[in-house]
Amino acid sequence: MPDYALPYQDDLGFTNILMSGLGGDGANMAAKLLFKIAVEKLNLDGGYDAKYGSEKTGTPTDVSIRLCPLGTPVRESGPTRRPHMLSVFRDKLIASQGLNRGLQASTTVMVNTSRSPAEIRELLKLHSGRILTLDATRIALETKSRMNMPMLAILCAQLGFPAEVVKAAIAAQWPRAQAANLAAFDQAVGQATSATFEPDAAYPLVEPTTITSPIGFANMLNGGAIDALTHLNIPAPDAEPLGRVPVFTLELCSHCGLCLVPCPEPGAIVWNDKKMVAINPVYCKGCMQCVEICPTTKRGKALVEPELAVV
Amino acid sequence: MLEQRTIISSGNEAAAHAIIDIGYDGEGYYPITPSSEVGEYVNRAHAQGEIDLSFVVGTSELAAISTVAGMAIAGGRAVDVTSSQGLLLKAEELPALAGLGLPVVLNLATRDINAPLNIKNGHSDLAATLGWGWLTFLAPTVQAVYDLNIIALKIAEAVNLPALIAYDGFHTSHANRRIKVFEDRQVVRNFVGPEPPPRLSILDVRHPHTFGPYMNDDLINTKVLLDQKMDQALRLLPKIFDDYARMSGRRYGFLDVYGDADAEAALLVLNSAAEAAKVAVDRLRREGKRVKVVSPTVLRPWPSDTLLQALFTADRIMVAERVSQYGAGNYLANEIGAVLQRSGNNNLILSRTYGIGGLNFYPEDADYLFRLALNFPNVPDHEKRWKGYYQAWAGEKDYQPQPVATALTKEETTRNDGKEKIDLKELAEMPHRIAKHASCPGCSTFANLDMFLRGIDGHVVLFFNTGCGMVVTTGYPSTSFRVPYFHNLFHNASSTATGVMEMYRRFRRQGKLNDEITFIVVTGDGGDDIGMDQVIGAALRNDPIIVLEYDNKGYMNTGGQLCYTGLLGQRFTNANVGPHQRGKPQHHKDIVEILRGTHAPYLFQAGVANYRDLIAKARKAQKMVREGNFVFGRFFSPCPLNWGADPKVGFRIVDKAVKSCLFPLYEVEHGKTKLNYNPERAGLKIPVKELFTSMGSAFAHLAGEQFADVAAEIQKEVDRRWKRLVEMDANPAL
Ligand SMILES: Cc1ncc(C[n+]2csc(CCOP(=O)(O)OP(=O)(O)O)c2C)c(N)n1
Ligand code: SF4
Ligand code: SF4
Ligand code: SF4
């Protein structure tokens, strides 16, 4: 059993880790393997608590991992409120999920992004700590692994888990994807960019979330009804795109309307005056069915798949 | 102590592990979050041949527990799992099991009972059962879920009462922890006994008994017996706890008490919250406060004496419950008050409701409640009350949301009237009744619906059953519905629509309402398993509503469990593929043919790959309901997530389903069958095998060599049903 000490300890002896991702990103799987390594190889205790487990693809979700020396009573459950370590699978979640809440001083933050650590600090309004950024999406694509692999690699490295122990566990967990996963692991550790930010009063520590909203028991409509005219789900025009958006070339479009047929997203295909005019990236989820159905003519094809892009 | 090993397990896995170790004869099952996984793990072990049990997926929770009752009356050991509304649907059978003295076990991953719907924790399901004659255990940790499952069966069979083990939905069901389980299953089997103690069985034809007779005034005596059995359990449990402690090294009792024996303030909370409260106790004691947390492990029989011992010295008792008995004192607060009062005490009892839905309970929260008790009545004004809510909020006084949309007018939404032609360009301009939603990318549910709604003119009112369609369209306070919408639980939409439609007709007759409205019910195929009776009822009454089923061959919202629409051999999370089980054991259900027997005026099948046909059917459906007829339509609806299919090819799968004749496009109008498309005649019929390869990992194995026999059987069945349809199409009399 290697000698190992956790990098952080709260007053109960725990290192608290929050992973934030979207349904389908594999955050739960990463947490599961991390905890398995902690228990089976490093003789630690703790737990991991998933938010749900059968999320729709693309729905924000999180998983909390608590690690402590064996013998420490494990009593809390649910999401950790005061993470020492934060792993963000998509940088757009930083704002939408309010990920800076409850972060401790000298946090370790790991983000899948093409942004720099300094940019992430601004986005996160981080009090202090170390930010590591890596392009996990690209690494996953290049190595034919999954995004959770580089994210797991970087987290294990920051936890100080011995690399050979982690790699052996990954290999054992997915024997068939071994080579791809280990390649992703190595790339992640090698390619992460990091910077450390001292507490310089730029941003204060933020208290954990207290759940509340403008509508409460005093102004809720009878039976919890929703006024559709004030609360219809209409995203802001400048909201973050949800996925890979097909490339539309107006000049090549015959306005046949076929793309409307398989599209499951009301509002994604924008139609005006009997003409297809655009794909609205705030509605489109990138399923590419419209690309599949869009006819190819002599002149070409109005809808094509975009280059692989990091979202 | 017997040999044990460490595993990492969630609460649900721990329940499954115990079920597997015990070696039950049977499990009745119906999925509901957060308990669904228990049956999935058990079924996986069954498919792998690790255990051998009858695993029966019911059409509903009531069906599942009734199957369990059958297993038990035959002398088998039987188990079930559920949560919330699932428990309520079982409710008819649960007191019956107690009355009949059948020692079955039910795992309850607690979830609040509610509308508006929330799938997270709350103890209102548990509270509902308290008077039903069930032995009731509370498992605050993942470890306790495993242990108490074993203990519960032992006592249940000793006194012939059913037993319930409640653990917190999500907080425990989805918490993954290091736990200990017995290395050798035989140890567990020896503890509970290799066979249940002998009891009367319906299979004993040599000595027949009548079970469940009609009973007259003798009934009160059965109630006496229920109480006597509870008393007996109270007497027997200490020894069972002792035996289990000797075997496992883990000691359970009626109560878990943590803190100062002579505490000034006690906090009584159940399950996972009690664990968090222990942290608060440690911290408060460091400050010199005398506090303790008291958490019952056994709720029925109610351990009054032990509770009295634990509580009477505490001057101030805070009873915090994840449930409220609205307009009255709370469940446990009342019972504890009664215990104390009977013994002449008059401790201060405060009652708070907390942690409902997604709200968590952390040590800080326990700290707050302890201080409230310690300082009462010197507390903020809004806390100067014996009963109240902790963690609720009033909202902002001057919150004035601005309109973001207008109501759709009849004019805007009339695009089909009087038109023969189906022109996508024109239909493209139909405003969306359903706005942005949160489905997975490429989900066919909304492709079908959106296209169907383009063929419907004027005002529409929508009713959704619970399922993906419902879950991804509302999330308080946001809605995707620009038209009036009602979700009235999982399986009730068609009957609910009938009620609304009746009032609509009445108010129109009375001249109180002038708008013309089309009522459309949207349900998953699962909604038409559990709600089959209600759809059939609406059809039999010929209620002028349109019921649309999106058939994605599974219970997708809850994680891909078996629906009767699934194909023979289809892989589900609760119908696994392994050496001892080959996916779903039966052929796919055919709801349109089931409804044919109601002689409903208009039934159809459609798919988005054939949009002209779909729009034509939408128009006809509206014409039919306007003429006072019931309409049912079913869409073939790929689910990229749970099928493991490429979202890109969704509509191509639909096309192949049609061409393989697995999903024929047809309609039944006033009893006359019409095939809208005949791939055979067009020379385009494909073998079903070709379909399986594109449908994703839930089906791909069916195209493989090992499943060649299953694929052949499916083909045979598809061909048989197809031939029948062709004949009916040719012969209007059929
Ligand atoms: C009485 C009751 N039992 C079970 C559930 C849990 N539940 C909610 S949705 C669902 C599956 C719905 O399946 P289906 O109707 O096929 O729709 P889909 O999820 O596939 O969209 C289940 C089992 C419930 N909400 N209420
Ligand atoms: S399918 Fe292609 S050509 Fe037809 S309207 Fe859409 S983008 Fe234009
Ligand atoms: S990619 Fe999918 S969601 Fe986006 S516009 Fe095309 S069909 Fe619609
Ligand atoms: S799970 Fe399946 S049915 Fe549900 S939203 Fe996702 S793709 Fe659609």
Side-chain angles (χ1 to χ4, degrees):
Chain A
M1 207 64 74
D3 247 354
Y4 175 75
L6 285 163
Y8 296 94
Q9 287 210 334
D10 66 10
D11 67 331
L12 301 173
F14 287 84
T15 294
N16 298 316
I17 307 165
L18 181 71
M19 282 185 179
S20 169
L22 297 180
D25 284 351
N28 280 349
M29 207 57 219
K32 184 175 182 165
L33 188 60
L34 181 85
F35 188 57
K36 193 173 149 97
I37 297 168
V39 167
E40 290 177 2
K41 306 291 180 223
L42 302 171
N43 210 23
L44 296 169
D45 203 355
Y48 72 95
D49 293 38
K51 188 171 183 183
Y52 181 19
S54 52
E55 280 84 8
K56 313 290 171 248
T57 311
T59 308
T61 184
D62 58 58
V63 49
S64 292
I65 308 157
R66 299 176 168 84
L67 299 177
C68 61
L70 190 59
T72 313
V74 183
R75 289 183 166 140
E76 274 190 42
S77 59
T80 173
R81 298 187 82 206
R82 300 173 197 276
H84 300 109
M85 305 181 88
L86 174 67
S87 168
V88 186
F89 282 51
R90 312 263 176 169
D91 59 11
K92 68 179 177 190
L93 293 168
I94 290 176
S96 71
Q97 303 302 302
L99 291 180
N100 70 336
R101 283 181 302 218
L103 288 185
Q104 302 294 286
S106 310
T107 321
T108 303
V109 181
M110 294 141 280
V111 188
N112 170 24
T113 183
S114 45
R115 294 181 161 103
S116 71
E119 286 170 310
I120 293 295
R121 186 194 188 195
E122 293 305 305
L123 209 61
L124 189 59
K125 301 189 171 40
L126 180 74
H127 172 266
S128 59
R130 190 167 141 80
I131 296 179
L132 292 101
T133 58
L134 72 162
D135 194 338
T137 311
R138 188 185 44 73
I139 295 174
L141 278 172
E142 283 176 10
T143 57
K144 297 201 166 57
S145 172
R146 292 185 61 201
M147 184 205 293
N148 60 358
M149 212 26 68
M151 294 309 287
L152 176 67
I154 208 76
L155 177 55
C156 287
Q158 290 305 304
L159 276 163
F161 283 10
E164 61 293 350
V165 170
V166 179
K167 286 166 93 166
I170 291 172
Q173 185 78 20
W174 297 286
R176 275 185 298 164
Q178 199 184 107
N181 285 340
L182 294 181
F185 187 96
D186 287 335
Q187 279 205 22
V189 177
Q191 292 178 9
T193 314
S194 79
T196 303
F197 302 92
E198 298 303 326
D200 55 6
Y203 296 112
L205 285 172
V206 181
E207 275 299 297
T209 335
T210 317
I211 295 173
T212 184
S213 90
I215 308 180
F217 56 77
N219 57 354
M220 189 178 272
L221 295 180
N222 186 37
I226 301 173
D227 179 342
L229 299 185
T230 51
H231 286 87
L232 191 66
N233 187 3
I234 301 177
D238 59 347
E240 288 265 6
L242 297 165
R244 294 169 58 222
V245 181
V247 179
F248 174 62
T249 313
L250 185 62
E251 299 72 51
L252 298 177
C253 177
S254 64
H255 309 289
C256 65
L258 278 178
C259 49
L260 285 166
V261 172
C263 180
E265 309 304 330
I269 292 176
V270 188
W271 202 262
N272 195 10
D273 202 15
K274 304 217 166 162
K275 286 198 163 61
M276 152 80 172
V277 290
I279 290 191
N280 186 337
V282 174
Y283 287 80
C284 167
K285 289 185 191 139
C287 71
M288 301 297 151
Q289 290 188 87
C290 56
V291 173
E292 285 283 305
I293 207 169
C294 179
T296 310
T297 65
K298 266 179 248 153
R299 294 190 299 145
K301 197 166 143 83
L303 285 169
V304 293
E305 285 202 35
E307 293 288 302
L308 294 180
V310 178
V311 181
Chain B
M1 228 163 73
L2 295 167
E3 204 183 331
Q4 295 175 66
R5 72 193 144 94
T6 297
I7 61 165
I8 297 168
S9 168
S10 69
N12 283 337
E13 252 174 299
H17 207 102
I19 291 169
I20 292 164
D21 281 357
I22 287 166
Y24 276 94
D25 295 305
E27 173 165 350
Y29 180 79
Y30 195 83
I32 182 164
T33 308
S35 65
S36 310
E37 291 168 339
V38 181
E40 298 173 13
Y41 290 118
V42 171
N43 184 272
R44 206 172 301 166
H46 175 65
Q48 288 307 321
E50 282 174 45
I51 43 160
D52 175 21
L53 87 173
S54 298
F55 187 87
V56 180
V57 182
T59 42
S60 71
E61 284 87 353
L62 179 58
I65 193 73
S66 302
T67 303
V68 162
M71 291 169 172
I73 205 92
R77 270 190 175 138
V79 65
D80 193 357
V81 300
T82 198
S83 302
S84 188
Q85 270 93 4
L87 179 107
L88 288 191
L89 211 56
K90 291 183 192 298
E92 184 189 21
E93 188 65 32
L94 295 181
L97 283 162
L100 295 168
L102 295 177
V104 303
V105 168
L106 176 65
N107 276 280
L108 179 73
T110 55
R111 154 173 156 183
D112 188 50
I113 292 170
N114 45 43
L117 189 74
N118 176 298
I119 58 167
K120 295 279 176 99
N121 195 31
H123 289 164
S124 39
D125 49 7
L126 169 66
T129 67
L130 290 176
W132 290 349
W134 281 60
L135 302 164
T136 303
F137 295 86
L138 297 170
T141 60
V142 175
Q143 180 72 60
V145 175
Y146 176 77
D147 294 331
L148 290 174
N149 258 280
I150 299 167
I151 290 171
L153 177 65
K154 177 91 184 165
I155 184 69
E157 289 183 345
V159 301
N160 277 332
L161 278 184
L164 181 142
I165 300 112
Y167 53 96
D168 285 346
F170 291 99
H171 305 295
T172 306
S173 66
H174 285 58
N176 295 273
R177 300 289 182 268
R178 176 197 271 265
I179 66 163
K180 285 232 152 71
V181 297
F182 293 102
E183 185 65 60
D184 181 3
R185 257 175 220 160
Q186 202 50 48
V187 163
V188 177
R189 292 180 190 176
N190 291 343
F191 181 81
V192 293
E195 299 284 336
R199 58 175 198 268
L200 304 179
S201 161
I202 197 162
L203 293 181
D204 187 356
V205 288
R206 288 152 195 262
H207 188 159
H209 286 89
T210 296
F211 297 97
Y214 182 79
M215 197 178 256
N216 286 311
D217 302 339
D218 322 67
L219 192 64
I220 193 164
N221 300 324
T222 66
K223 310 295 180 190
V224 173
L225 282 173
L226 284 175
D227 254 308
Q228 286 181 349
K229 286 178 177 182
M230 285 286 180
D231 287 344
Q232 196 192 352
L234 212 50
R235 286 193 301 276
L236 294 180
L237 269 168
K239 172 156 187 327
I240 294 178
F241 287 140
D242 283 348
D243 292 346
Y244 194 78
R246 221 169 297 123
M247 177 167 103
S248 67
R250 292 181 295 278
R251 172 161 292 282
Y252 294 88
F254 289 112
L255 293 186
D256 181 16
V257 183
Y258 186 87
D260 293 295
D262 64 340
E264 184 190 349
L267 172 64
L268 191 129
V269 276
L270 300 185
N271 269 352
S272 62
E275 292 301 301
K278 288 177 183 173
V279 177
V281 166
D282 289 343
R283 288 179 182 153
L284 283 160
R285 288 179 72 192
R286 256 176 264 141
E287 272 181 41
K289 305 261 190 308
R290 286 181 296 123
V291 290
K292 68 175 155 194
V293 55
V294 175
S295 169
T297 308
V298 183
L299 219 47
R300 291 291 179 271
W302 177 241
S304 313
D305 293 347
T306 326
L307 267 164
L308 182 62
Q309 289 311 313
L311 286 175
F312 81 97
T313 52
D315 288 341
R316 294 149 180 276
I317 301 169
M318 168 65 78
V319 185
E321 301 180 55
R322 269 194 151 111
V323 55
S324 177
Q325 189 152 243
Y326 321 108
N330 220 349
Y331 296 89
L332 292 182
N334 284 358
E335 286 206 54
I336 284 160
V339 168
L340 292 165
Q341 186 263 339
R342 274 199 299 274
S343 53
N345 290 281
N346 61 347
N347 321 43
L348 169 74
I349 298 180
L350 296 171
S351 165
R352 290 291 181 274
T353 293
Y354 75 99
I356 305 281
L359 297 171
N360 292 293
F361 189 80
Y362 294 106
E364 292 96 309
D365 300 309
D367 185 271
Y368 180 89
L369 293 176
F370 269 122
R371 285 180 205 276
L372 210 55
L374 285 165
N375 298 333
F376 201 84
N378 300 319
V379 293
D381 275 353
H382 73 277
E383 293 285 21
K384 284 191 176 126
R385 52 177 74 185
W386 62 274
K387 183 191 178 209
Y389 282 82
Y390 170 60
Q391 296 171 319
W393 63 91
E396 289 165 14
K397 247 205 183 98
D398 33 7
Y399 177 64
Q400 282 288 358
Q402 294 309 303
V404 294
T406 53
L408 290 170
T409 63
K410 185 177 159 200
E411 292 68 34
E412 279 176 278
T413 49
T414 300
R415 310 267 164 170
N416 295 275
D417 201 31
K419 290 197 180 118
E420 278 294 315
K421 228 180 93 195
I422 289 164
D423 181 358
L424 272 180
K425 290 187 203 207
E426 265 175 35
L427 290 172
E429 279 163 25
M430 172 71 91
H432 297 289
R433 276 104 166 184
I434 303 177
K436 185 181 163 65
H437 54 75
S439 78
C440 307
C443 175
S444 297
T445 310
F446 292 94
N448 280 312
L449 257 187
D450 198 53
M451 194 48 76
F452 185 86
L453 287 172
R454 288 179 204 270
I456 299 289
D457 281 350
H459 293 297
V460 167
V461 167
L462 293 171
F463 304 84
F464 274 40
N465 273 334
T466 315
C468 281
M470 173 266 162
V471 164
V472 302
T473 42
T474 52
Y476 193 80
S478 170
T479 181
S480 302
F481 296 100
R482 199 169 166 193
V483 296
Y485 163 88
F486 187 16
H487 160 249
N488 189 22
L489 305 180
F490 187 10
H491 50 140
N492 306 329
S494 43
S495 309
T496 306
T498 295
V500 171
M501 186 275 309
E502 284 291 329
M503 293 305 103
Y504 162 76
R505 291 208 285 209
R506 179 182 177 84
F507 297 154
R508 297 249 294 180
R509 258 193 329 266
Q510 294 171 342
K512 292 183 192 162
L513 185 77
N514 294 317
D515 296 313
E516 200 239 354
I517 302 172
T518 302
F519 300 100
I520 302 180
V521 169
V522 177
T523 178
D525 43 340
D528 281 343
D529 277 354
I530 191 169
M532 200 156 15
D533 55 336
Q534 301 197 44
V535 185
I536 290 175
L540 289 170
R541 289 187 301 267
N542 196 22
D543 294 329
I545 58 175
I546 301 174
V547 178
L548 300 176
E549 175 189 300
Y550 56 95
D551 175 0
N552 53 24
K553 312 230 159 285
Y555 292 1
M556 299 322 186
N557 186 45
T558 36
Q561 294 88 3
L562 181 152
C563 182
Y564 288 102
T565 51
L567 300 188
L568 178 75
Q570 184 179 337
R571 183 199 307 272
F572 290 97
T573 46
N574 64 340
N576 291 274
V577 173
H580 291 262
Q581 181 176 282
R582 303 174 88 200
K584 181 169 177 269
Q586 317 84 8
H587 280 299
H588 50 289
K589 157 183 165 190
D590 198 338
I591 183 79
V592 171
E593 292 304 310
I594 291 174
L595 287 170
R596 186 189 285 274
T598 67
H599 301 276
Y602 188 48
L603 311 168
F604 70 84
Q605 294 203 147
V608 80
N610 302 67
Y611 72 91
R612 284 178 193 283
D613 177 67
L614 198 159
I615 292 284
K617 284 169 178 167
R619 288 178 179 172
K620 190 182 283 181
Q622 187 162 42
K623 180 168 166 285
M624 287 295 236
V625 285
R626 281 177 171 161
E627 290 165 3
N629 298 305
F630 173 85
V631 174
F632 181 91
R634 173 194 190 197
F635 302 123
F636 192 84
S637 190
C639 162
L641 178 62
N642 290 299
W643 289 13
D646 184 348
K648 182 152 73 176
V649 297
F651 73 97
R652 292 206 194 286
I653 298 177
V654 181
D655 185 46
K656 285 188 183 174
V658 171
K659 292 206 172 113
S660 68
C661 299
L662 173 75
F663 188 80
L665 298 179
Y666 75 108
E667 55 196 338
V668 184
E669 198 176 333
H670 294 297
K672 284 190 194 140
T673 304
K674 183 177 167 203
L675 275 177
N676 308 108
Y677 173 63
N678 187 330
E680 210 166 24
R681 197 171 298 158
L684 292 171
K685 185 170 185 251
I686 57 168
V688 285
K689 237 174 139 173
E690 257 180 59
L691 176 63
F692 301 151
T693 42
S694 55
M695 278 173 93
S697 50
F699 304 88
H701 59 287
L702 297 173
E705 210 140 278
Q706 284 186 330
F707 279 81
D709 56 330
V710 178
E713 263 196 63
I714 300 173
Q715 185 68 59
K716 207 165 110 198
E717 181 65 12
V718 165
D719 290 344
R720 187 186 69 78
R721 294 187 193 182
W722 168 251
K723 260 194 210 118
R724 243 181 111 242
L725 271 186
V726 172
E727 287 304 318
M728 288 196 271
D729 173 65
N731 296 293
L734 288 181

